[in-house]
Amino acid sequence: MFLDELTPVVQEIIGHPAAFFGGFVSGVLRLNLADDPVKTWLEQQGGVSATTTPKNTHHQNGGGPQTISIE
């Protein structure tokens, strides 16, 4: 039961340990992959740019808090 839910995570750890723990450590340390020290190191290692452009999902409906009324 509980072990069945952990099986995919364990398979990823075994299959790609450096990538898994690298992502885990960067998440724990809250490193932004687009910041300069990490970005230049990543580009030197694999030549892959970590910069992505965020998609603007807010349309013309204000994007801020909205009020609702409950009867």
Side-chain angles (χ1 to χ4, degrees), residues 5-39:
E5 295 174 1
L6 291 178
T7 302
V9 175
V10 172
Q11 288 176 348
E12 286 294 321
I13 292 172
I14 292 171
H16 308 285
F20 182 83
F21 287 115
F24 181 76
V25 169
S26 67
V28 168
L29 296 176
R30 296 180 186 234
L31 296 175
N32 187 358
L33 299 179
D35 285 346
D36 196 17
V38 178
K39 177 183 170 185

Side-chain angles (χ1 to χ4, degrees), residues 16-66:
H16 308 285
F20 182 83
F21 287 115
F24 181 76
V25 169
S26 67
V28 168
L29 296 176
R30 296 180 186 234
L31 296 175
N32 187 358
L33 299 179
D35 285 346
D36 196 17
V38 178
K39 177 183 170 185
T40 55
W41 183 81
L42 283 173
E43 288 175 351
Q44 290 174 353
Q45 296 301 315
V48 178
S49 177
T51 58
T52 57
T53 56
K55 294 181 181 178
N56 189 3
T57 57
H58 297 287
H59 298 291
Q60 296 294 347
N61 46 349
Q66 299 177 357

